[in-house]
Amino acid sequence: MDKNVKQIITDIDKLSEFSDTIDTRKEGKLLQDIVLSLKATMRENNLVSLTAPQIGYNKRVICLRFGERDYRTFVNPVIENNTGFHFAKETCSSLEGKRYVIPRFGNIKGFFTTPMGKVEAIKLSGMAALRFQHCIDHLNGMLTSDIGLEIDDLWDNATEDERAEVLRMYAESLD
């Protein structure tokens, strides 16, 4: 097995910590280790996204997979603009076997630093936007279980009207 593959953390307390920014100039070796570990762990577990905190690094680094082999790293990412509010179904590799409905935006604009220290912007929509938001939550110490509505087979078997009523009540309960 690749020495860079890390165990995915499932400890809720550990994952609830706010992640520190990383200085690409001063912490280059650490950043390189994080990026290699993120990508190796994603490949080993066939994941589409992963954050540094999920593999034991309390740093603001995320990696998303676009397609089969295009892994992109985002250092100190932030979301600037978002549109298209809706509820999305999500799972999380740190919360195995659980599914949630969570409020998300379908379109976002993010800013980040590349591992080489260049500041860039990116517009994301659809699943990529959802994954980016999910990862930002991890960096902020917020888990899907903190804000999402856990769902199960009853949700799957509910009528559209029943789901709409549950989502209405859930939306009213959010701050």
Side-chain angles (χ1 to χ4, degrees):
M1 182 157 88
D2 185 334
K3 69 178 177 73
N4 292 310
V5 173
K6 304 290 184 195
Q7 185 71 32
I8 296 174
I9 294 174
T10 58
D11 180 335
I12 302 298
D13 292 332
K14 181 89 172 136
L15 292 170
S16 296
E17 298 173 8
F18 191 88
S19 299
D20 298 325
T21 59
I22 188 164
D23 187 323
T24 56
R25 290 174 291 142
K26 294 180 181 174
E27 298 177 283
K29 174 65 173 117
L30 174 60
L31 181 56
Q32 180 182 354
D33 291 346
I34 292 170
V35 171
L36 290 173
S37 294
L38 282 170
K39 291 179 179 181
T41 305
M42 288 175 70
R43 285 185 192 100
E44 180 71 21
N45 293 282
N46 193 29
L47 300 175
V48 293
S49 63
L50 194 62
T51 68
Q54 289 178 279
I55 58 170
Y57 298 96
N58 191 28
K59 294 293 184 179
R60 299 185 74 76
V61 183
I62 66 176
C63 190
L64 299 180
R65 187 182 82 203
F66 296 84
E68 288 301 311
R69 293 190 172 96
D70 184 10
Y71 292 84
R72 296 186 198 170
T73 303
F74 303 87
V75 180
N76 302 324
V78 294
I79 296 173
E80 181 71 20
N81 292 323
N82 46 46
T83 60
F85 177 83
H86 66 281
F87 289 100
K89 284 198 279 187
E90 290 187 10
T91 60
C92 178
S93 56
S94 291
L95 302 168
E96 286 187 277
K98 298 195 180 224
R99 297 181 300 145
Y100 298 87
V101 171
I102 190 163
R104 293 288 187 213
F105 292 94
N107 304 292
I108 63 168
K109 181 176 183 181
F111 291 91
F112 63 97
T113 305
T114 68
M116 299 306 294
K118 182 180 175 193
V119 176
E120 293 187 1
I122 190 168
K123 289 183 180 179
L124 298 169
S125 61
M127 289 304 295
L130 299 178
R131 291 193 318 256
F132 197 88
Q133 292 168 85
H134 181 104
C135 288
I136 295 286
D137 285 347
H138 271 291
L139 300 183
N140 293 335
M142 187 169 31
L143 297 172
T144 308
S145 57
D146 294 335
I147 53 173
L149 174 67
E150 188 172 351
I151 58 174
D152 58 17
D153 292 340
L154 291 175
W155 175 266
D156 296 334
N157 296 324
T159 66
E160 287 298 318
D161 288 342
E162 291 168 332
R163 288 185 199 156
E165 177 66 14
V166 170
L167 289 176
R168 185 190 61 73
M169 291 187 299
Y170 171 56
E172 289 174 359
S173 74
L174 296 175
D175 292 335

